[in-house]
Amino acid sequence: MDTQDLDGRGHPRRAARTPLRLLAAAGAAALTVTAGLATPLNPAPQQARAEEEGKKVLTVAVAQSVDSLSPFLATRLVSTSIHRLMYEYLTNYDPKDNHAIPGLATKWEPSADKLTWTYTIRSNSKWSDGKGATAEDAAWTFNKMMTDEGAATANGSFVANFRKVTAPSPTKLVIELKKPQATMAALDVPIVPKHVWENVDDFSKFNNDKTFPIVGNGPFVVTGYKADSFVRLKPNKSFWRGAPKFDELVFRYYKDQDAAVAALRKGEVSFVAGQPALTPAQAASLKGDKNIKVNDAPGRRFYALATNPGARAKNGDKFGDGHESLLNQKVRQALFMAVDRKTIIDKVFQGHAVEGEGYIPPRFSTYAWKPTDGQKLSYEPEKAAELLDQAGYKKNGDGKRVGKDGKPINYRVLCHATDPQDKAVGKYLEEWWGALGIGVTLNCLDNVTDPWLAGEYDLAFDGWSVNPDPDFVLSIHTCAALPATPKDTGATDNFICDKKYDDLYDKQLAEYDPAKRADLVKQLESRLYDTGYMNVMAYPNAVEAYRTDQIKSITTMPEAAGNIYGQDGYWSWWSATPAAADEASDDESSSTGVVIGIVAGVVVLAGAGVFFTMRRRATAEDRE
């Protein structure tokens, strides 16, 4: 699916280590913004309000709807990105090189045996309701995840190895471990206010979307939300790093990516990132437009095909209806060898991606892995056919491969209805696997989450935003990530449970030597590759576009050549500086490492018809 980064999930998660000044003051003349959300769902009255108050509004168009505003439940990229803006984490990541820097914690240190970690909690962080944020809030957050299965839904893997968490004082947090854990500077968990959340009865059902403003201590405060429509935020004036420069930030959901691009061209939004990137055609169509820049940088995501290896729960119960042939490793590898990655890069991504191999994108050079020449599953359809024969899935008189039940094999492939790349690659699969005698049915849905969690699919397009520390995206393939029972929701990606993989995962988690840990992570990737459960086809670029007449500057990550949307942190939205009302947008109005935010709604500049926007884990598909 798709993370924090999954964050996603991709959530995809994140980390930190030294204070930071990201932008020099860029004295922009005051902007009078007439706007708000002029849409069929929220028309003129918002415009009038913004016009009266003279707000500087940055509207961000996103291609994914929020799954939950609860940080204990959310896995979609847009959701985990918003949580980065709402709540502080213990640590953050430096946008220059991804090393850990302070967040809510100003420093952290282990005991000699590495089993006890002590964090110093900053004294100048306040909740948006005026109460001080303390070590007690952090201890309560972690303890709730350790003792409440509902609270562990999204981020439970981070605390699975915790023995005890205490707060001896308001500025001292102590975490005791069962065994050494190398990710203690990368605990990508939003810390929530105890005095608010201790009143929640059922964490598995509470979505944090009924009372506004939502109390947080991040750079922004959520002030409004409408499902499948928008999330509205305002700056947290008491944020310890300093308040953001825009008066309001709005994320607006666009189901139609072409409509979002059209809105950018008209000036109705400031930034568009797509799902998770602009298509080559969309990017090309924008490059000649005045006041629009296209940012095309190496991404932090992978794009893959995930197989259903037989959905099961921790209690041993099996569920779902995945095709029995996919339990055979030779079949999975045969399908792997019948996918032409070069064609996908050239024809689908049109060069805006790198050919996939290992599980970690090459941007994270410490952990990136490549198969050896003898190990590599290259595009060799003839050998793929031989493997299928060896596995016992031979062709019948009609040239169709048949399963153990004697019926022709036809794989159902889950795809995201809003992602044109899924559909394009799906057409190639029909051709490539059809030549092997295997049928393909694309099941393109707005919501792939329900059938995915139910195990009711054969293969699925998958993608996660990988964090600087890859532990989270590795953990979602362990047996521990399976749901407790078929009725529960686990942290698993696609129900993989492999003892050799688990042994390697445990070893890397306990290894503090960076070089040795990196080697273990690469062994994990090698195991994942050999089993054929995850077929990483590409590492897509982050292809984004923004209006330079609306955004003067914004931080990319990494700063030298990186992405704006889907960062490991809040740097893009926190740092975004409005362009002056009379400022012409030219190449010089954006500098290296400085670009823009995300698009979501419509913001009209007073008397000038100009608009603004911003960003966010991984997503982004359905999980990050």
Side-chain angles (χ1 to χ4, degrees), residues 73-102:
L73 300 179
T75 59
R76 292 185 181 178
L77 177 61
V78 65
S79 309
T80 56
S81 297
I82 291 171
H83 290 141
R84 270 287 186 186
L85 306 178
M86 297 167 62
Y87 303 106
E88 273 277 54
Y89 295 40
L90 288 181
T91 57
N92 206 329
Y93 294 110
D94 190 318
K96 293 184 178 67
D97 59 9
N98 292 325
H99 78 272
I101 62 174

PDB file of all heavy atoms in Angstrom, residues 73-102:
ATOM      1  N   LEU A  73      -3.411   5.843  14.616  1.00  0.00           N
ATOM      2  CA  LEU A  73      -4.070   5.032  13.590  1.00  0.00           C
ATOM      3  C   LEU A  73      -3.596   5.314  12.174  1.00  0.00           C
ATOM      4  O   LEU A  73      -3.644   4.435  11.316  1.00  0.00           O
ATOM      5  CB  LEU A  73      -5.589   5.255  13.649  1.00  0.00           C
ATOM      6  CG  LEU A  73      -6.312   4.907  14.950  1.00  0.00           C
ATOM      7  CD1 LEU A  73      -7.795   5.236  14.808  1.00  0.00           C
ATOM      8  CD2 LEU A  73      -6.111   3.439  15.308  1.00  0.00           C
ATOM      9  N   ALA A  74      -3.181   6.517  11.883  1.00  0.00           N
ATOM     10  CA  ALA A  74      -2.925   6.944  10.505  1.00  0.00           C
ATOM     11  C   ALA A  74      -1.722   6.250   9.882  1.00  0.00           C
ATOM     12  O   ALA A  74      -0.682   6.083  10.512  1.00  0.00           O
ATOM     13  CB  ALA A  74      -2.711   8.450  10.460  1.00  0.00           C
ATOM     14  N   THR A  75      -1.890   5.855   8.616  1.00  0.00           N
ATOM     15  CA  THR A  75      -0.787   5.260   7.864  1.00  0.00           C
ATOM     16  C   THR A  75      -0.557   5.942   6.524  1.00  0.00           C
ATOM     17  O   THR A  75       0.480   5.753   5.911  1.00  0.00           O
ATOM     18  CB  THR A  75      -1.040   3.757   7.621  1.00  0.00           C
ATOM     19  OG1 THR A  75      -2.270   3.614   6.905  1.00  0.00           O
ATOM     20  CG2 THR A  75      -1.125   2.996   8.927  1.00  0.00           C
ATOM     21  N   ARG A  76      -1.534   6.717   6.044  1.00  0.00           N
ATOM     22  CA  ARG A  76      -1.375   7.344   4.738  1.00  0.00           C
ATOM     23  C   ARG A  76      -0.378   8.498   4.798  1.00  0.00           C
ATOM     24  O   ARG A  76      -0.258   9.182   5.811  1.00  0.00           O
ATOM     25  CB  ARG A  76      -2.719   7.839   4.208  1.00  0.00           C
ATOM     26  CG  ARG A  76      -3.671   6.716   3.852  1.00  0.00           C
ATOM     27  CD  ARG A  76      -4.950   7.238   3.223  1.00  0.00           C
ATOM     28  NE  ARG A  76      -5.858   6.138   2.908  1.00  0.00           N
ATOM     29  CZ  ARG A  76      -7.061   6.287   2.393  1.00  0.00           C
ATOM     30  NH1 ARG A  76      -7.526   7.505   2.136  1.00  0.00           N
ATOM     31  NH2 ARG A  76      -7.806   5.248   2.132  1.00  0.00           N
ATOM     32  N   LEU A  77       0.273   8.715   3.675  1.00  0.00           N
ATOM     33  CA  LEU A  77       1.308   9.731   3.585  1.00  0.00           C
ATOM     34  C   LEU A  77       0.799  11.114   3.972  1.00  0.00           C
ATOM     35  O   LEU A  77       1.427  11.831   4.747  1.00  0.00           O
ATOM     36  CB  LEU A  77       1.865   9.757   2.153  1.00  0.00           C
ATOM     37  CG  LEU A  77       2.908  10.812   1.842  1.00  0.00           C
ATOM     38  CD1 LEU A  77       4.137  10.630   2.695  1.00  0.00           C
ATOM     39  CD2 LEU A  77       3.280  10.761   0.373  1.00  0.00           C
ATOM     40  N   VAL A  78      -0.357  11.497   3.455  1.00  0.00           N
ATOM     41  CA  VAL A  78      -0.865  12.838   3.752  1.00  0.00           C
ATOM     42  C   VAL A  78      -1.149  12.974   5.241  1.00  0.00           C
ATOM     43  O   VAL A  78      -0.897  14.028   5.840  1.00  0.00           O
ATOM     44  CB  VAL A  78      -2.126  13.149   2.915  1.00  0.00           C
ATOM     45  CG1 VAL A  78      -3.291  12.250   3.284  1.00  0.00           C
ATOM     46  CG2 VAL A  78      -2.517  14.620   3.075  1.00  0.00           C
ATOM     47  N   SER A  79      -1.647  11.928   5.863  1.00  0.00           N
ATOM     48  CA  SER A  79      -1.987  11.979   7.287  1.00  0.00           C
ATOM     49  C   SER A  79      -0.739  12.081   8.156  1.00  0.00           C
ATOM     50  O   SER A  79      -0.670  12.909   9.075  1.00  0.00           O
ATOM     51  CB  SER A  79      -2.791  10.737   7.680  1.00  0.00           C
ATOM     52  OG  SER A  79      -3.880  10.540   6.809  1.00  0.00           O
ATOM     53  N   THR A  80       0.248  11.233   7.883  1.00  0.00           N
ATOM     54  CA  THR A  80       1.456  11.264   8.699  1.00  0.00           C
ATOM     55  C   THR A  80       2.233  12.562   8.480  1.00  0.00           C
ATOM     56  O   THR A  80       2.902  13.049   9.382  1.00  0.00           O
ATOM     57  CB  THR A  80       2.352  10.053   8.396  1.00  0.00           C
ATOM     58  OG1 THR A  80       2.651  10.007   7.007  1.00  0.00           O
ATOM     59  CG2 THR A  80       1.652   8.756   8.791  1.00  0.00           C
ATOM     60  N   SER A  81       2.107  13.149   7.292  1.00  0.00           N
ATOM     61  CA  SER A  81       2.737  14.441   7.025  1.00  0.00           C
ATOM     62  C   SER A  81       2.095  15.526   7.884  1.00  0.00           C
ATOM     63  O   SER A  81       2.782  16.390   8.424  1.00  0.00           O
ATOM     64  CB  SER A  81       2.576  14.816   5.552  1.00  0.00           C
ATOM     65  OG  SER A  81       3.227  13.880   4.733  1.00  0.00           O
ATOM     66  N   ILE A  82       0.787  15.469   7.970  1.00  0.00           N
ATOM     67  CA  ILE A  82       0.076  16.455   8.775  1.00  0.00           C
ATOM     68  C   ILE A  82       0.405  16.278  10.260  1.00  0.00           C
ATOM     69  O   ILE A  82       0.547  17.255  11.006  1.00  0.00           O
ATOM     70  CB  ILE A  82      -1.442  16.362   8.516  1.00  0.00           C
ATOM     71  CG1 ILE A  82      -1.747  16.859   7.093  1.00  0.00           C
ATOM     72  CG2 ILE A  82      -2.235  17.164   9.541  1.00  0.00           C
ATOM     73  CD1 ILE A  82      -3.169  16.619   6.634  1.00  0.00           C
ATOM     74  N   HIS A  83       0.580  15.040  10.699  1.00  0.00           N
ATOM     75  CA  HIS A  83       0.960  14.816  12.089  1.00  0.00           C
ATOM     76  C   HIS A  83       2.342  15.394  12.386  1.00  0.00           C
ATOM     77  O   HIS A  83       2.610  15.832  13.511  1.00  0.00           O
ATOM     78  CB  HIS A  83       0.926  13.323  12.414  1.00  0.00           C
ATOM     79  CG  HIS A  83      -0.461  12.777  12.457  1.00  0.00           C
ATOM     80  ND1 HIS A  83      -0.802  11.537  11.973  1.00  0.00           N
ATOM     81  CD2 HIS A  83      -1.622  13.329  12.902  1.00  0.00           C
ATOM     82  CE1 HIS A  83      -2.096  11.350  12.128  1.00  0.00           C
ATOM     83  NE2 HIS A  83      -2.616  12.429  12.684  1.00  0.00           N
ATOM     84  N   ARG A  84       3.207  15.409  11.406  1.00  0.00           N
ATOM     85  CA  ARG A  84       4.516  16.043  11.568  1.00  0.00           C
ATOM     86  C   ARG A  84       4.363  17.536  11.867  1.00  0.00           C
ATOM     87  O   ARG A  84       5.199  18.137  12.535  1.00  0.00           O
ATOM     88  CB  ARG A  84       5.348  15.872  10.294  1.00  0.00           C
ATOM     89  CG  ARG A  84       6.202  14.629  10.260  1.00  0.00           C
ATOM     90  CD  ARG A  84       7.374  14.772  11.186  1.00  0.00           C
ATOM     91  NE  ARG A  84       8.278  13.662  11.085  1.00  0.00           N
ATOM     92  CZ  ARG A  84       9.327  13.501  11.893  1.00  0.00           C
ATOM     93  NH1 ARG A  84       9.568  14.369  12.825  1.00  0.00           N
ATOM     94  NH2 ARG A  84      10.116  12.468  11.750  1.00  0.00           N
ATOM     95  N   LEU A  85       3.314  18.120  11.346  1.00  0.00           N
ATOM     96  CA  LEU A  85       3.063  19.543  11.553  1.00  0.00           C
ATOM     97  C   LEU A  85       2.354  19.800  12.882  1.00  0.00           C
ATOM     98  O   LEU A  85       2.497  20.878  13.466  1.00  0.00           O
ATOM     99  CB  LEU A  85       2.208  20.098  10.414  1.00  0.00           C
ATOM    100  CG  LEU A  85       2.716  19.870   8.988  1.00  0.00           C
ATOM    101  CD1 LEU A  85       1.724  20.429   7.976  1.00  0.00           C
ATOM    102  CD2 LEU A  85       4.084  20.495   8.795  1.00  0.00           C
ATOM    103  N   MET A  86       1.591  18.820  13.366  1.00  0.00           N
ATOM    104  CA  MET A  86       0.776  18.976  14.571  1.00  0.00           C
ATOM    105  C   MET A  86       1.535  18.694  15.862  1.00  0.00           C
ATOM    106  O   MET A  86       1.306  19.354  16.878  1.00  0.00           O
ATOM    107  CB  MET A  86      -0.421  18.021  14.509  1.00  0.00           C
ATOM    108  CG  MET A  86      -1.388  18.268  13.374  1.00  0.00           C
ATOM    109  SD  MET A  86      -2.554  16.889  13.154  1.00  0.00           S
ATOM    110  CE  MET A  86      -3.440  16.882  14.721  1.00  0.00           C
ATOM    111  N   TYR A  87       2.406  17.671  15.829  1.00  0.00           N
ATOM    112  CA  TYR A  87       3.056  17.196  17.048  1.00  0.00           C
ATOM    113  C   TYR A  87       4.571  17.113  16.875  1.00  0.00           C
ATOM    114  O   TYR A  87       5.059  16.791  15.794  1.00  0.00           O
ATOM    115  CB  TYR A  87       2.539  15.796  17.410  1.00  0.00           C
ATOM    116  CG  TYR A  87       1.048  15.692  17.583  1.00  0.00           C
ATOM    117  CD1 TYR A  87       0.259  15.076  16.610  1.00  0.00           C
ATOM    118  CD2 TYR A  87       0.418  16.197  18.720  1.00  0.00           C
ATOM    119  CE1 TYR A  87      -1.114  14.958  16.761  1.00  0.00           C
ATOM    120  CE2 TYR A  87      -0.961  16.088  18.875  1.00  0.00           C
ATOM    121  CZ  TYR A  87      -1.722  15.466  17.895  1.00  0.00           C
ATOM    122  OH  TYR A  87      -3.088  15.354  18.050  1.00  0.00           O
ATOM    123  N   GLU A  88       5.283  17.356  17.964  1.00  0.00           N
ATOM    124  CA  GLU A  88       6.729  17.153  17.940  1.00  0.00           C
ATOM    125  C   GLU A  88       7.047  15.678  18.176  1.00  0.00           C
ATOM    126  O   GLU A  88       6.309  14.970  18.883  1.00  0.00           O
ATOM    127  CB  GLU A  88       7.399  17.988  19.039  1.00  0.00           C
ATOM    128  CG  GLU A  88       7.740  19.400  18.606  1.00  0.00           C
ATOM    129  CD  GLU A  88       9.058  19.471  17.852  1.00  0.00           C
ATOM    130  OE1 GLU A  88       9.223  18.732  16.853  1.00  0.00           O
ATOM    131  OE2 GLU A  88       9.922  20.260  18.250  1.00  0.00           O
ATOM    132  N   TYR A  89       8.156  15.219  17.608  1.00  0.00           N
ATOM    133  CA  TYR A  89       8.693  13.893  17.883  1.00  0.00           C
ATOM    134  C   TYR A  89       9.906  14.114  18.799  1.00  0.00           C
ATOM    135  O   TYR A  89      10.404  15.228  18.920  1.00  0.00           O
ATOM    136  CB  TYR A  89       9.148  13.209  16.599  1.00  0.00           C
ATOM    137  CG  TYR A  89       8.049  12.899  15.605  1.00  0.00           C
ATOM    138  CD1 TYR A  89       7.010  13.795  15.364  1.00  0.00           C
ATOM    139  CD2 TYR A  89       8.069  11.717  14.890  1.00  0.00           C
ATOM    140  CE1 TYR A  89       6.009  13.510  14.442  1.00  0.00           C
ATOM    141  CE2 TYR A  89       7.067  11.426  13.960  1.00  0.00           C
ATOM    142  CZ  TYR A  89       6.047  12.322  13.749  1.00  0.00           C
ATOM    143  OH  TYR A  89       5.061  12.048  12.833  1.00  0.00           O
ATOM    144  N   LEU A  90      10.418  13.074  19.419  1.00  0.00           N
ATOM    145  CA  LEU A  90      11.595  13.254  20.268  1.00  0.00           C
ATOM    146  C   LEU A  90      12.747  13.844  19.467  1.00  0.00           C
ATOM    147  O   LEU A  90      13.485  14.708  19.952  1.00  0.00           O
ATOM    148  CB  LEU A  90      12.027  11.924  20.892  1.00  0.00           C
ATOM    149  CG  LEU A  90      11.128  11.347  21.992  1.00  0.00           C
ATOM    150  CD1 LEU A  90      11.709  10.043  22.508  1.00  0.00           C
ATOM    151  CD2 LEU A  90      10.933  12.336  23.132  1.00  0.00           C
ATOM    152  N   THR A  91      12.909  13.370  18.242  1.00  0.00           N
ATOM    153  CA  THR A  91      14.005  13.834  17.396  1.00  0.00           C
ATOM    154  C   THR A  91      13.468  14.209  16.023  1.00  0.00           C
ATOM    155  O   THR A  91      12.327  13.911  15.671  1.00  0.00           O
ATOM    156  CB  THR A  91      15.080  12.737  17.235  1.00  0.00           C
ATOM    157  OG1 THR A  91      14.468  11.563  16.691  1.00  0.00           O
ATOM    158  CG2 THR A  91      15.722  12.388  18.566  1.00  0.00           C
ATOM    159  N   ASN A  92      14.316  14.869  15.250  1.00  0.00           N
ATOM    160  CA  ASN A  92      13.956  15.250  13.886  1.00  0.00           C
ATOM    161  C   ASN A  92      15.134  14.900  12.992  1.00  0.00           C
ATOM    162  O   ASN A  92      16.127  14.331  13.457  1.00  0.00           O
ATOM    163  CB  ASN A  92      13.630  16.747  13.833  1.00  0.00           C
ATOM    164  CG  ASN A  92      12.677  17.095  12.710  1.00  0.00           C
ATOM    165  OD1 ASN A  92      12.666  16.456  11.661  1.00  0.00           O
ATOM    166  ND2 ASN A  92      11.874  18.125  12.918  1.00  0.00           N
ATOM    167  N   TYR A  93      15.041  15.242  11.696  1.00  0.00           N
ATOM    168  CA  TYR A  93      16.131  14.976  10.763  1.00  0.00           C
ATOM    169  C   TYR A  93      16.621  16.285  10.149  1.00  0.00           C
ATOM    170  O   TYR A  93      15.810  17.107   9.720  1.00  0.00           O
ATOM    171  CB  TYR A  93      15.675  14.049   9.631  1.00  0.00           C
ATOM    172  CG  TYR A  93      15.307  12.654  10.065  1.00  0.00           C
ATOM    173  CD1 TYR A  93      13.981  12.221  10.045  1.00  0.00           C
ATOM    174  CD2 TYR A  93      16.288  11.762  10.469  1.00  0.00           C
ATOM    175  CE1 TYR A  93      13.648  10.934  10.434  1.00  0.00           C
ATOM    176  CE2 TYR A  93      15.960  10.480  10.859  1.00  0.00           C
ATOM    177  CZ  TYR A  93      14.638  10.062  10.842  1.00  0.00           C
ATOM    178  OH  TYR A  93      14.317   8.781  11.230  1.00  0.00           O
ATOM    179  N   ASP A  94      17.919  16.440  10.084  1.00  0.00           N
ATOM    180  CA  ASP A  94      18.510  17.614   9.446  1.00  0.00           C
ATOM    181  C   ASP A  94      18.223  17.544   7.942  1.00  0.00           C
ATOM    182  O   ASP A  94      18.517  16.529   7.303  1.00  0.00           O
ATOM    183  CB  ASP A  94      20.027  17.606   9.690  1.00  0.00           C
ATOM    184  CG  ASP A  94      20.693  18.901   9.278  1.00  0.00           C
ATOM    185  OD1 ASP A  94      20.338  19.444   8.216  1.00  0.00           O
ATOM    186  OD2 ASP A  94      21.582  19.372  10.013  1.00  0.00           O
ATOM    187  N   PRO A  95      17.657  18.603   7.357  1.00  0.00           N
ATOM    188  CA  PRO A  95      17.338  18.547   5.926  1.00  0.00           C
ATOM    189  C   PRO A  95      18.568  18.528   5.032  1.00  0.00           C
ATOM    190  O   PRO A  95      18.463  18.202   3.852  1.00  0.00           O
ATOM    191  CB  PRO A  95      16.511  19.816   5.709  1.00  0.00           C
ATOM    192  CG  PRO A  95      16.953  20.745   6.776  1.00  0.00           C
ATOM    193  CD  PRO A  95      17.231  19.875   7.968  1.00  0.00           C
ATOM    194  N   LYS A  96      19.720  18.854   5.583  1.00  0.00           N
ATOM    195  CA  LYS A  96      20.939  18.834   4.753  1.00  0.00           C
ATOM    196  C   LYS A  96      21.406  17.410   4.469  1.00  0.00           C
ATOM    197  O   LYS A  96      21.691  17.050   3.334  1.00  0.00           O
ATOM    198  CB  LYS A  96      22.056  19.623   5.441  1.00  0.00           C
ATOM    199  CG  LYS A  96      21.806  21.114   5.547  1.00  0.00           C
ATOM    200  CD  LYS A  96      23.032  21.805   6.158  1.00  0.00           C
ATOM    201  CE  LYS A  96      22.830  23.316   6.219  1.00  0.00           C
ATOM    202  NZ  LYS A  96      21.777  23.714   7.153  1.00  0.00           N
ATOM    203  N   ASP A  97      21.490  16.578   5.536  1.00  0.00           N
ATOM    204  CA  ASP A  97      22.077  15.245   5.345  1.00  0.00           C
ATOM    205  C   ASP A  97      21.351  14.140   6.110  1.00  0.00           C
ATOM    206  O   ASP A  97      21.859  13.027   6.222  1.00  0.00           O
ATOM    207  CB  ASP A  97      23.550  15.261   5.762  1.00  0.00           C
ATOM    208  CG  ASP A  97      23.749  15.657   7.222  1.00  0.00           C
ATOM    209  OD1 ASP A  97      22.742  15.746   7.961  1.00  0.00           O
ATOM    210  OD2 ASP A  97      24.902  15.889   7.627  1.00  0.00           O
ATOM    211  N   ASN A  98      20.180  14.430   6.661  1.00  0.00           N
ATOM    212  CA  ASN A  98      19.330  13.441   7.334  1.00  0.00           C
ATOM    213  C   ASN A  98      19.832  12.964   8.685  1.00  0.00           C
ATOM    214  O   ASN A  98      19.263  12.016   9.248  1.00  0.00           O
ATOM    215  CB  ASN A  98      19.126  12.195   6.443  1.00  0.00           C
ATOM    216  CG  ASN A  98      18.296  12.492   5.222  1.00  0.00           C
ATOM    217  OD1 ASN A  98      17.373  13.298   5.275  1.00  0.00           O
ATOM    218  ND2 ASN A  98      18.616  11.856   4.115  1.00  0.00           N
ATOM    219  N   HIS A  99      20.883  13.580   9.258  1.00  0.00           N
ATOM    220  CA  HIS A  99      21.327  13.089  10.559  1.00  0.00           C
ATOM    221  C   HIS A  99      20.351  13.560  11.641  1.00  0.00           C
ATOM    222  O   HIS A  99      19.621  14.542  11.479  1.00  0.00           O
ATOM    223  CB  HIS A  99      22.761  13.526  10.876  1.00  0.00           C
ATOM    224  CG  HIS A  99      22.905  14.947  11.325  1.00  0.00           C
ATOM    225  ND1 HIS A  99      23.086  15.990  10.444  1.00  0.00           N
ATOM    226  CD2 HIS A  99      22.907  15.502  12.564  1.00  0.00           C
ATOM    227  CE1 HIS A  99      23.195  17.127  11.117  1.00  0.00           C
ATOM    228  NE2 HIS A  99      23.084  16.857  12.405  1.00  0.00           N
ATOM    229  N   ALA A 100      20.324  12.827  12.757  1.00  0.00           N
ATOM    230  CA  ALA A 100      19.367  13.112  13.819  1.00  0.00           C
ATOM    231  C   ALA A 100      19.710  14.421  14.528  1.00  0.00           C
ATOM    232  O   ALA A 100      20.868  14.677  14.864  1.00  0.00           O
ATOM    233  CB  ALA A 100      19.358  11.966  14.818  1.00  0.00           C
ATOM    234  N   ILE A 101      18.679  15.236  14.747  1.00  0.00           N
ATOM    235  CA  ILE A 101      18.838  16.505  15.444  1.00  0.00           C
ATOM    236  C   ILE A 101      17.729  16.631  16.490  1.00  0.00           C
ATOM    237  O   ILE A 101      16.747  15.899  16.445  1.00  0.00           O
ATOM    238  CB  ILE A 101      18.800  17.710  14.476  1.00  0.00           C
ATOM    239  CG1 ILE A 101      17.431  17.779  13.770  1.00  0.00           C
ATOM    240  CG2 ILE A 101      19.951  17.640  13.470  1.00  0.00           C
ATOM    241  CD1 ILE A 101      17.245  19.014  12.919  1.00  0.00           C
ATOM    242  N   PRO A 102      17.850  17.559  17.435  1.00  0.00           N
ATOM    243  CA  PRO A 102      16.829  17.673  18.479  1.00  0.00           C
ATOM    244  C   PRO A 102      15.440  17.995  17.965  1.00  0.00           C
ATOM    245  O   PRO A 102      15.267  18.739  16.992  1.00  0.00           O
ATOM    246  CB  PRO A 102      17.358  18.820  19.348  1.00  0.00           C
ATOM    247  CG  PRO A 102      18.837  18.750  19.178  1.00  0.00           C
ATOM    248  CD  PRO A 102      19.030  18.394  17.734  1.00  0.00           C
TER     249      PRO A 102
END
